[in-house]
Amino acid sequence: MTQSNPKTGAADVVAADLTLEEKASLTSGADFWTTKAIDRVGLPSVMMTDGPHGLRKQAESNDHLGLADSVPATCFPPAVALGSSFDPELAERVGVALGVESAANDVAVILGPGINIKRSPLCGRNFEYFSEDPIVSGVMGAGLIRGIQSRGVGASLKHFAANNQEFDRMRASSDIDPRPLREIYLRGFERAVTQAQPWTVMCSYNRINGTYASEDRWLLTDVLRGEWDFEGLVVSDWGAVNDRVVGLPAGLDLEMPSSGGRTDAQLVAAVRDGRLDEAALDLAVGRVLDLLRKAQARPTVEGFDIDAHHALAREVAGRSIVLLKNEGVLPLARAATVAVIGAFAEQPRYQGAGSSLINPTRLDTALDELRTLSEGEVSYAPGFTLDGSGDAAALTAQAVAAARAAEVAVVFLGLPASEESEGYDRDHIDLPPAQLALLEAVLAANPVTVVVLSNGGAVALPFRDRVPAIVEGWLLGQAGGGATADVLYGVVNPSAKLTETIPLRLADSPSFGNFPGEFGHVRYGEGLLVGYRGFDARELEVAYPFGHGLSYTTFSYGAPSATLQASGDVLVELDVTNTGASAGREVVQLYTSLDGSVVQRPPRELKAFASVALQAGETGRVALTVRREDLAYWDVRLDRWIVEGGDYLIEVGASSRDLRGSVVVRIEGDPVVRPLTMESSVADLLADPVAGPVAREAMAAVFGGGVGMDAAGASMMANDEAMMKMMASFPIGRLAAFPGVPVSYDGIETLIAAANQARSAG
Ligand code: BGC
């Protein structure tokens, strides 16, 4: 039948047109980067390749760890930088450019964004991720996906899920309790999937609570499709498949890269001997066919504008630089004499190592760009070498002489490339001692010193009290040198903010002691208290808090107002005024908390943010929406999201520790109806809004009436605070057995029945 009915390709091929062997073959790669073609029915092969902050299409030899060269492409700022802009529209514009470059290179799916939570500053891949906060990660990831897919190219949201370290990443089980799993580690994925519907989701290498992500039906099917309505295809991370016969029916549609036919044959055998339902294979095949159809519908793109994309990369890098500290030194006067010190000024670190390694179309250096913008003299001394070679004393002496002769010293420090890579983690957060020693020498020679950092993960800044200005440059992509010069000279007014806390010491970070685990398990012992949630809960001092970032201008905040919308969302509005002399941008942040919650909550959690551009003196009305679902906690008793009722404190501010105003909003809670049982606690019984009052009355009646306690005893039990505290967690059914409590089991059953009846009636 299929032979006599030639098809025209993905447009009209369905699973039924294919043999069992063809179907199995379609659900794994042909090689490193492409899916299999089936010529008999005209199915094309399509390419899926990295990602995420540029296109990495390897020309000849293939590997997935960035070893072999790839075609030139624009290297945009990696997520660590882009995230700091707190601007999803900017991310979307980067996405559009990625989509264009992918389309121009005939790439169907670009493998990104990566939105895993930065659980520890040590994770080797933090440079590829946006934040320690799920809302920032999800919103920024969604922006990037929207942009990419607007050009008819698919995104691949990765690494799903709980892949928060590189150590033992292909085997280790991330052991996470349900609340942090839902509220921290899955929340960003949920946001990106529901808001941007990526063509593909890439499952991670690791296990979650013992089950490989690639075999986790709960994760890949129940949650991803059942709860979030994901419509696309699930692809394995490269080599993440453990047992394909288990993975496919769990929801893994496509194995990458090729298994050389070995696992295809396993699928065929499993269908033949009844271990695998062919319908599960058909479902996966259908999703591959969908992907091929989408890819074939992509409009043809001939090349891309290298200059325009480089200019965009520079703009984005400028929006990504975080001004950590500035005691009047920046911006530099154009006429100032400047000593540029540090090898990174000439040999930039602009991206991290591994599968995201882009071959840039060009590369700016900060030194050249500073010289272009300067009207004074700009000297240069490397101060150190990137590989640690050379005569340290001589290099330092040269740097000190340059610093002494200049009005300002700008010292470029950073992490060596070898310390930040996919595949392994750091084991400390310190800058190299040689660089720190150099900085001390320069500072002694010229206290007017600016430090510019190049690092993909947070580093300790022991010098921060002694240096008048610190610029966090992260890894800024190929145009980072120009953007750094723009910020240093005030051509661009810095506006980015930290999406991760910079701790004083590694030992302060919440995951310390629970990272990276051992013997195949990593226990997420800090639970919900990840990142700033943990630093705030423990009232720890930090070097720079989550959300921090300065500007060359200043902003004042008006009082916020909150209005409950018909949808249940809360609209928060406030005026923000640029009170300084230069145009600038402010990232306004909104945090919520709920006092007296029934569940553990961090002191405050980010729920919304906005990046607002304001001219000098201008006042702008800023509107932020707190989505009702973002107020929800994961209720482990009911296994679902619950919005707890109560008076929520909404705080707005310039950082998580620079809160400028607040407003309280009363939120109606979701009904939580759980029938009381003999296992329910006295507190459960009394706290229930419907059953509580009835139970109190019933208690008085039962205790006072039929079963031996007098009215005074009953009232003491009900009213005495200490007694009630003691009794609160007592399971109701055990009261009867407790010595001295003259209540019969039957009496308690009567009480519960009365309460349940009152509740169902009410
Ligand atoms: C990485 C992915 C990447 C893939 C293909 C894996 O090692 O974890 O992020 O997309 O390789 O290069």
Side-chain angles (χ1 to χ4, degrees):
M1 352 142 262
T2 46
Q3 239 92 7
S4 61
N5 176 21
K7 298 285 174 179
T8 56
D12 63 353
V13 172
V14 293
D17 296 324
L18 305 173
T19 66
L20 177 59
E21 285 75 7
E22 285 169 340
K23 287 193 288 191
S25 79
L26 206 54
T27 59
S28 75
D31 52 28
F32 243 97
W33 305 116
T34 62
T35 63
K36 294 202 193 80
I38 302 184
D39 296 337
R40 186 181 67 78
V41 289
L43 282 183
S45 156
V46 299
M47 176 172 267
M48 320 175 78
T49 194
D50 290 300
H53 52 268
L55 182 70
R56 186 174 68 104
K57 179 179 173 180
Q58 290 179 322
E60 279 152 27
S61 50
N62 288 324
D63 69 81
H64 71 296
L65 290 176
L67 307 176
D69 267 359
S70 49
V71 298
T74 312
C75 179
F76 290 97
V80 59
L82 177 59
S84 311
S85 73
F86 277 83
D87 186 348
E89 282 162 24
L90 194 66
E92 192 168 335
R93 287 172 58 205
V94 173
V96 169
L98 294 175
V100 168
E101 295 194 23
S102 300
N105 280 284
D106 197 20
V107 167
V109 175
I110 179 166
L111 302 176
I115 65 159
N116 297 83
I117 292 290
K118 301 187 200 217
R119 178 176 172 245
S120 163
L122 298 177
C123 172
R125 237 176 153 175
N126 275 358
F127 67 87
E128 267 190 80
Y129 300 142
F130 289 104
S131 181
E132 66 190 20
D133 180 88
I135 303 247
V136 178
S137 306
V139 168
M140 296 301 290
L144 211 55
I145 295 168
R146 271 196 300 274
I148 293 168
Q149 297 192 166
S150 72
R151 291 304 177 264
V153 171
S156 196
L157 182 65
K158 67 189 188 183
H159 307 91
F160 190 56
N163 176 191
N164 309 98
Q165 65 188 51
E166 293 299 288
F167 171 72
D168 208 12
R169 67 170 166 160
M170 297 185 81
R171 298 179 306 177
S173 173
S174 301
D175 295 339
I176 318 179
D177 288 340
R179 282 197 61 203
L181 182 56
R182 290 284 189 160
E183 294 178 36
I184 306 284
Y185 297 99
L186 295 184
R187 199 167 221 150
F189 283 99
E190 176 170 10
R191 180 79 165 229
V193 166
T194 53
Q195 292 205 325
Q197 199 56 255
W199 288 13
T200 75
V201 165
M202 183 192 291
C203 77
S204 56
Y205 287 126
N206 52 290
R207 292 177 292 150
I208 300 170
N209 294 326
T211 304
Y212 277 108
S214 63
E215 296 175 1
D216 194 336
R217 173 186 297 275
W218 170 81
L219 184 74
L220 302 183
T221 298
D222 300 351
V223 172
L224 181 61
R225 296 186 188 280
E227 294 180 26
W228 304 347
D229 295 326
F230 175 60
E231 293 161 3
L233 166 142
V234 174
V235 59
S236 70
D237 196 346
W238 268 230
V241 171
N242 174 55
D243 182 338
R244 188 127 163 264
V245 177
V246 177
L248 186 122
L252 173 68
D253 303 309
L254 176 64
E255 171 176 18
M256 287 301 286
S258 162
S259 71
R262 184 179 59 88
T263 57
D264 298 348
Q266 289 172 352
L267 289 183
V268 170
V271 169
R272 292 237 159 87
D273 67 20
R275 280 175 298 130
L276 176 66
D277 186 352
E278 193 164 353
L281 180 58
D282 289 351
L283 206 57
V285 167
R287 291 176 187 143
V288 176
L289 291 172
D290 274 351
L291 181 76
L292 300 181
R293 269 191 284 278
K294 288 184 196 158
Q296 281 197 311
R298 185 185 68 236
T300 310
V301 172
E302 297 295 342
F304 63 93
D305 187 337
I306 292 178
D307 293 341
H309 284 194
H310 186 76
L312 175 62
R314 181 169 180 154
E315 180 191 342
V316 176
R319 295 279 307 278
S320 305
I321 293 171
V322 185
L323 181 61
L324 293 177
K325 177 176 180 183
N326 185 23
E327 284 175 352
V329 181
L330 295 174
L332 301 175
R334 296 282 182 118
T337 56
V338 178
V340 173
I341 295 166
F344 293 114
E346 213 189 9
Q347 301 164 65
R349 253 209 86 206
Y350 60 101
Q351 62 177 335
S355 63
S356 66
L357 200 80
I358 312 302
N359 178 13
T361 57
R362 64 178 69 145
L363 184 57
D364 288 354
T365 74
L367 181 58
D368 286 347
E369 300 297 327
L370 285 165
R371 285 187 164 144
T372 303
L373 289 183
S374 165
E375 288 158 15
E377 201 187 308
V378 176
S379 63
Y380 171 65
F384 55 87
T385 58
L386 294 185
D387 62 5
S389 63
D391 179 347
L395 287 163
T396 303
Q398 186 197 7
V400 164
R404 194 166 283 136
E407 288 167 68
V408 187
V410 179
V411 185
F412 287 79
L413 305 179
L415 288 173
S418 60
E419 286 199 20
E420 293 186 293
S421 170
E422 174 176 343
Y424 54 88
D425 302 314
R426 282 184 290 167
D427 53 17
H428 62 81
I429 58 166
D430 300 325
L431 287 166
Q435 292 186 30
L436 294 175
L438 171 77
L439 176 63
E440 292 305 329
V442 169
L443 265 177
N446 188 346
V448 187
T449 288
V450 178
V451 168
V452 179
L453 297 164
S454 300
N455 50 309
V459 291
L461 304 171
F463 48 79
R464 72 186 195 296
D465 289 339
R466 283 171 291 118
V467 173
I470 306 176
V471 174
E472 177 53 271
W474 299 122
L475 304 178
L476 289 170
Q478 68 180 46
T484 304
D486 289 341
V487 165
L488 292 178
Y489 280 111
V491 177
V492 166
N493 191 349
S495 59
K497 306 244 185 178
L498 295 176
T499 62
E500 64 198 281
T501 309
I502 302 188
L504 287 175
R505 315 176 305 156
L506 173 64
D508 291 341
S509 21
S511 60
F512 186 79
N514 281 304
F515 182 99
E518 59 223 0
F519 303 139
H521 286 269
V522 50
R523 168 138 188 76
Y524 285 38
E526 72 283 12
L528 293 170
L529 302 182
V530 181
Y532 66 91
R533 291 168 167 81
F535 288 102
D536 287 351
R538 294 185 175 86
E539 297 177 355
L540 286 173
E541 226 192 285
V542 299
Y544 294 101
F546 176 86
H548 170 79
L550 304 174
S551 164
Y552 296 147
T553 187
T554 47
F555 299 95
S556 75
Y557 283 57
S561 68
T563 327
L564 199 57
Q565 311 284 283
S567 60
D569 295 348
V570 182
L571 176 67
V572 176
E573 291 177 288
L574 71 151
D575 285 339
V576 175
T577 303
N578 180 343
T579 47
S582 50
R585 270 184 178 271
E586 173 68 328
V587 175
V588 179
Q589 300 154 50
L590 183 156
Y591 298 85
T592 65
S593 56
L594 177 64
D595 252 8
S597 171
V598 294
V599 289
Q600 180 206 22
R601 296 198 190 233
R604 68 186 55 80
E605 297 186 279
L606 185 83
K607 297 296 174 190
F609 55 86
S611 169
V612 200
L614 293 169
Q615 295 301 319
E618 186 184 349
T619 296
R621 189 86 179 141
V622 181
L624 298 147
T625 298
V626 183
R627 306 182 327 156
R628 181 176 167 88
E629 60 256 58
D630 289 335
L631 293 175
Y633 71 89
W634 184 258
D635 192 306
V636 297
R637 302 163 306 172
L638 304 167
D639 217 20
R640 67 180 166 89
W641 293 108
I642 290 291
V643 175
E644 185 181 1
D647 289 337
Y648 284 74
L649 178 66
I650 294 181
E651 295 173 293
V652 290
S655 93
S656 62
R657 293 196 176 180
D658 181 6
L659 301 163
R660 306 283 186 87
S662 67
V663 59
V664 172
V665 62
R666 170 151 299 180
I667 301 287
E668 185 87 17
D670 292 336
V672 178
V673 182
R674 299 174 67 235
L676 293 165
T677 67
M678 295 301 259
E679 272 286 292
S680 303
S681 69
V682 169
D684 287 340
L685 187 75
L686 294 176
D688 188 281
V690 177
V694 179
R696 260 172 218 277
E697 251 176 59
M699 268 172 94
V702 172
F703 292 146
V707 276
M709 186 181 283
D710 61 16
S715 116
M716 186 196 83
M717 282 213 58
N719 297 327
D720 182 83
E721 212 181 306
M723 175 69 90
M724 284 317 295
K725 261 191 185 166
M726 199 175 80
M727 297 297 293
S729 61
F730 220 92
I732 323 172
R734 304 239 198 111
L735 275 175
F738 200 69
V741 174
V743 185
S744 73
Y745 199 83
D746 290 352
I748 294 169
E749 277 189 323
T750 310
L751 171 68
I752 288 178
N756 280 341
Q757 202 183 348
R759 232 157 41 142
S760 55

